[in-house]
Amino acid sequence: MTQESNHSPAQADTFLPGPVLLLGAPGVGKGTQAQLLMAGYGIPQISTGDILRDNIARGTDLGKAAKGLMDNGQLVPDDMVNDMVGARLSQRDVQRGYILDGYPRTLGQAEWLDAHLEGLEESAGAVALPLVAINIKVDEQVLLKRITGRRICGKCKHIYNVYFKAPQQEGICDVDGTALQQRSDDTEAAFTERMKAYHSLTAPVIEHYGKQGRFREIDGDRDVEAVTESIREALEQLRQAGN
Ligand code: AMP
């Protein structure tokens, strides 16, 4: 994954990204794009999936409660993820903005987040900018290959794909030589379940933010760099428009 950009480092310092939602079906590239935006803008990626996987790896009660649901492609209950996000948003590194990746995934989560941010805007020092939502779209057939072919470096979290972006040496990270891993929910059966949850529960979230005006749809079936550039353009245009 290259991290080239037409933007100068100075812009990364002066541009205030604020809260950004990356929306889209499983496998559209939210994680990859969030990592690139994080590097470009110097703001954190907040991935509820990553936080849950970290809890599973550490054997916490939250991780134990979430594992079975996640392996079957089902959503974790709203209260659990809302609490996680609330705790994460109380940390200091979110002051210039942050990228929410994989959250909110239900209308209940979206409503909780909207109310939580309204509360934060009133408290001193918090980013007062409203949310900007970017929906990444990719055809479902392509998503299946992206999901079942996805491999992730256990150490640096770099993302590969055995069909589209294979590492130079099979199963080994190009960056640091660590063995690549496959997520336990990146199977065809779990993908089918995740798409069902996406259509019934997450599609209304996209409608919800679509109605608010600070929203753009991006074609995610292109080179990673082209998608990143479109997201940057959309985000910066939306912010310039006074949002
Ligand atoms: P992801 O890494 O975003 O693809 O998420 C992997 C799995 O974690 C999902 O299939 C869900 O089981 C769970 N998960 C992640 N984010 C959420 C969320 N916002 N709400 C409910 N479940 C979630």
Side-chain angles (χ1 to χ4, degrees), residues 148-160:
T148 54
R150 175 159 60 185
R151 302 290 183 275
I152 304 166
C153 172
K155 191 173 173 193
C156 72
K157 306 295 172 200
H158 198 95
I159 301 167
Y160 298 85

Side-chain angles (χ1 to χ4, degrees), residues 26-27 30 47-50 52-53 66 69-71 73-78 81 84 101-106 109 150 183 185 194:
K30 298 187 294 292
S47 156
T48 42
D50 281 352
L52 288 165
R53 281 184 287 278
L69 293 166
M70 288 174 73
D71 283 348
Q74 290 166 323
L75 293 188
V76 172
D78 285 355
V81 274
M84 265 168 34
D101 155 16
Y103 177 93
R105 261 192 169 81
T106 66
Q109 292 176 16
R150 175 159 60 185
R183 278 171 45 171
D185 58 348
R194 285 157 75 191

Side-chain angles (χ1 to χ4, degrees), residues 113-201:
L113 178 67
D114 293 349
H116 184 75
L117 293 184
E118 258 176 50
L120 280 187
E121 278 170 23
E122 286 156 18
S123 66
V127 173
L129 292 169
L131 282 176
V132 164
I134 307 281
N135 184 32
I136 308 176
K137 294 181 79 170
V138 175
D139 184 84
E140 213 162 308
Q141 289 308 311
V142 178
L143 291 181
L144 176 63
K145 276 192 150 180
R146 283 196 181 183
I147 288 280
T148 54
R150 175 159 60 185
R151 302 290 183 275
I152 304 166
C153 172
K155 191 173 173 193
C156 72
K157 306 295 172 200
H158 198 95
I159 301 167
Y160 298 85
N161 188 290
V162 297
Y163 303 114
F164 305 123
K165 199 166 78 77
Q168 281 167 10
Q169 196 185 338
E170 194 184 328
I172 302 292
C173 178
D174 294 344
V175 179
D176 54 27
T178 304
L180 299 181
Q181 298 170 349
Q182 184 172 22
R183 278 171 45 171
S184 55
D185 58 348
D186 275 352
T187 61
E188 189 164 348
F191 173 74
T192 306
E193 280 310 307
R194 285 157 75 191
M195 284 308 293
K196 272 191 210 160
Y198 173 76
H199 287 302
S200 62
L201 299 168

